[in-house]
Amino acid sequence: MGQLLAGAPLAAKIHDEVITLVTAMKKRYGRGPVFCVAQVGDSKEASLYVEFQKKIAAKLGIECIVRTLPEMVKQEEVIAEIHALNNDASINGIILQLPLPVHLNTARIQANIAPHKDVEGIHPENLGRIILKNAGFTPCTACAVMELLQQTGVAFSGKEAVIVGHSGIVGKPLALMLLDKLSTVTVCHIGTTQAGNLEKHVRSAEILVVAVGKPNLIKGEWIKPGAIVVDVGITCIGGKVAGDVEFEAAAKRAAFITPVPGGVGPVTVAILMRNVAQAARLQCSKEKQ
Ligand code: NAD
């Protein structure tokens, strides 16, 4: 049976780092970090997630403000709201709650967030910095996966790393981050499955990261014995949350495996809070100059 790679211990460690940062900032500048979640419409799922972020933020001494815009808001109005937040010195970080209604262009709105307030790491400038290996904000989930992998003590160099899912917030940035650690990276996606090649690639993975959103897509028997398995997928079925990997069967073969829920999720939120605290500290020190 593989070792459980739970998110809680790492999240707790990051929370401690954030509390130290926030305490120092309050002492030095007389104020703590503040971030704003821009939410369009009031879907139950989005509101629940925002409440969860608010609760964690409060625990760490960070203030979370929510701006809710009506479902039928125009693209220009959302961009105007983002610009207002960019220009508001009391706001250190901006989160655009996804998904947006289909009439809005998500990428165009995200590109209007000031890069130094882009705590989710989704602005084109921050994404580009990953290729250049320059410090910037990195998408929180990709970062969470890297930090969880590091917890295992794995030597990345030369490892066969297979990522299933090629989104801009998980698969693509993670592929670049693993490449920089000299892993041999394969990225699979819907085209891989349609070509009948998913099983072959997964079977070769020494490091396997799955971010698709299809429960049980990855069969337990495909896991290479001794592999590290990180399951990013989240699907709600009948009030329960499921990942993308057949957990019980995969855990028998893997050396390490993340649970769902309780794996990548809590670390992602902790990293988001760390980004908010770092953004706030940088902005305060620039204001002081
Ligand atoms: P996305 O929805 O943008 O893209 C899905 C990816 O899966 C694409 O690359 C697509 O080609 C691939 N795919 C779809 N069907 C496939 C199949 N049958 N075989 C192989 N590949 C297939 O992805 P996303 O936004 O990165 O989200 C992926 C999952 O991760 C979702 O379940 C999401 O809820 C979850 N997620 C979790 C966290 C977290 O913190 N735990 C954060 C972000 C996303």
Side-chain angles (χ1 to χ4, degrees):
M1 189 78 179
Q3 222 175 301
L4 197 67
L5 192 53
L10 177 57
K13 217 161 100 185
I14 299 171
H15 289 172
D16 286 345
E17 262 178 59
V18 175
I19 290 171
T20 306
L21 260 172
V22 172
T23 309
M25 180 182 162
K26 285 184 175 167
K27 199 166 158 201
R28 183 147 186 210
Y29 302 106
R31 62 184 165 114
V34 182
F35 71 100
C36 180
V37 181
Q39 189 180 349
V40 178
D42 55 0
S43 96
K44 198 173 147 219
E45 288 80 13
S47 301
L48 273 175
Y49 185 57
V50 172
E51 279 314 307
F52 177 65
Q53 286 179 345
K54 248 183 159 169
K55 205 172 104 189
I56 303 280
K59 207 174 99 178
L60 305 177
I62 296 175
E63 190 182 343
C64 168
I65 292 171
V66 182
R67 293 270 159 82
T68 308
L69 301 166
E71 181 87 24
M72 288 318 294
V73 66
K74 292 196 180 103
Q75 170 99 0
E76 300 71 46
E77 291 170 323
V78 185
I79 291 176
E81 182 66 37
I82 297 289
H83 287 173
L85 295 171
N86 287 342
N87 295 326
D88 183 342
S90 70
I91 303 286
N92 305 118
I94 302 168
I95 293 175
L96 182 66
Q97 187 61 42
L98 299 184
L100 294 177
V102 287
H103 70 280
L104 297 172
N105 182 327
T106 302
R108 199 170 303 156
I109 296 170
Q110 287 173 327
N112 277 275
I113 298 174
H116 65 289
K117 293 194 179 185
D118 170 36
V119 289
E120 291 184 289
I122 40 77
H123 186 280
E125 183 177 314
N126 283 321
L127 289 171
R129 281 175 184 271
I130 304 173
I131 291 185
L132 302 172
K133 286 204 270 176
N134 268 342
F137 292 119
T138 311
C140 302
T141 308
C143 223
V145 173
M146 281 308 284
E147 294 197 23
L148 272 166
L149 288 173
Q150 272 154 353
Q151 293 301 301
T152 67
V154 63
F156 291 99
S157 183
K159 287 279 182 320
E160 292 293 330
V162 175
I163 301 167
V164 188
H166 77 308
S167 73
I169 58 160
V170 190
K172 283 183 198 159
L174 191 60
L176 291 169
M177 293 159 93
L178 283 166
L179 262 181
D180 280 334
K181 298 282 182 196
L182 301 182
S183 292
T184 305
V185 182
T186 303
V187 182
C188 303
H189 39 70
I190 185 71
T192 317
T193 297
Q194 284 168 349
N197 292 328
L198 185 65
E199 176 179 346
K200 176 182 81 185
H201 289 294
V202 170
R203 280 189 183 274
S204 73
E206 295 170 288
I207 297 172
L208 175 68
V209 181
V210 191
V212 172
K214 286 206 162 47
N216 299 328
L217 175 72
I218 306 298
K219 307 299 167 212
E221 65 186 44
W222 296 355
I223 303 300
K224 192 181 177 86
I228 303 173
V229 179
V230 177
D231 189 349
V232 183
I234 298 179
T235 308
C236 297
I237 336 169
K240 282 199 170 166
V241 178
D244 293 335
V245 180
E246 274 184 356
F247 181 84
E248 300 296 336
K252 289 195 181 122
R253 298 169 69 93
F256 293 90
I257 185 165
T258 58
V260 178
V264 180
V267 182
T268 300
V269 178
I271 288 174
L272 180 67
M273 296 303 150
R274 187 173 68 193
N275 286 351
V276 171
Q278 286 171 346
R281 188 185 53 181
L282 266 172
Q283 288 161 37
C284 283
S285 73
K286 281 208 174 120
E287 271 172 27
K288 231 187 165 185
Q289 278 167 14

